[in-house]
Amino acid sequence: MRVHPLVVALAMACVVASAACGGAGTAATAPGPAGQATVVRVVDGDTIVVKTSGREERVRLIGIDTPESVKPNTPVQCFALEASARTKALLPPGTAVRLERDSELRDRYKRLLAYVYRQPDGVFVNLVLAREGFALPYTFPPNVTHADEFVAAAGEARQGHRGLWSRCRDPAGPIDPTKGAR
């Protein structure tokens, strides 16, 4: 799908000034690129901080959910430290990344929502975390561009007893990762 340059420019403007996207920081435009960035640090398995256009942004990886390790008033969950460590290994500080957006620009915590691709090798970080068993699929419409890939990857990890599937009792909790619903 080809995205009109004006749509891309508007999406980039929304990253800089979320007020232009209706105050909440979301945009209902077609999926498109969010741009290039550099990793500053990993917060946990599914959240990173990047520097883009001269400012730092907190980025939530779309389509996956890793066990909680830093959520206030929440105990560290099974395999959370391993998931965080894997994300840190994939995205050490200074790593160049390409951020690709989906339907919504930001979540309710004002984090930029993105599919993260490591440069220059193009590794799709969100998918690697699901495939290796460090993340569950987290389908949150309307951001569903890669939902089927994440569900399939997590299903393979579960069948192969990889990652959290090898050590955590019922890591999926109330969801069935083979269906991708949450």
Side-chain angles (χ1 to χ4, degrees):
M1 175 170 117
R2 189 152 190 242
V3 179
H4 191 278
L6 185 55
V7 172
V8 174
L10 179 59
M12 291 305 294
C14 289
V15 171
V16 177
S18 66
C21 295
T26 60
T29 59
Q36 306 297 316
T38 303
V39 175
V40 174
R41 67 184 173 91
V42 171
V43 175
D44 64 10
D46 55 32
T47 305
I48 63 175
V49 175
V50 301
K51 188 164 200 165
T52 181
S53 301
R55 64 184 277 197
E56 287 190 5
E57 285 275 3
R58 194 171 279 243
V59 177
R60 172 64 164 81
L61 280 65
I62 302 173
I64 62 166
D65 190 34
T66 61
E68 298 295 340
S69 63
V70 296
K71 187 175 181 180
N73 303 315
T74 303
V76 174
Q77 295 177 331
C78 181
F79 222 70
L81 299 178
E82 293 87 345
S84 184
R86 181 60 178 135
T87 303
K88 287 176 183 175
L90 288 166
L91 298 172
T95 301
V97 293
R98 178 172 51 91
L99 305 177
E100 190 175 287
R101 60 183 292 265
D102 205 324
S103 294
E104 295 177 315
L105 184 65
R106 295 186 184 276
D107 66 9
R108 64 183 173 158
Y109 304 109
K110 301 189 189 302
R111 296 176 295 188
L112 187 65
L113 298 172
Y115 300 110
V116 178
Y117 295 85
R118 190 173 64 195
Q119 299 294 0
D121 61 7
V123 167
F124 186 9
V125 176
N126 311 48
L127 185 60
V128 167
L129 293 169
R131 182 179 293 131
E132 293 179 353
F134 291 98
L136 301 169
Y138 186 56
T139 304
F140 199 94
N143 302 311
V144 298
T145 300
H146 296 283
D148 292 342
E149 292 172 75
F150 298 142
V151 169
E156 290 171 15
R158 183 179 194 174
Q159 287 180 335
H161 302 284
R162 291 191 299 272
L164 57 85
W165 303 107
S166 68
R167 288 206 257 150
C168 303
R169 186 178 74 76
D170 194 21
I175 71 164
D176 180 351
T178 61
K179 298 204 181 340
R182 183 169 191 142

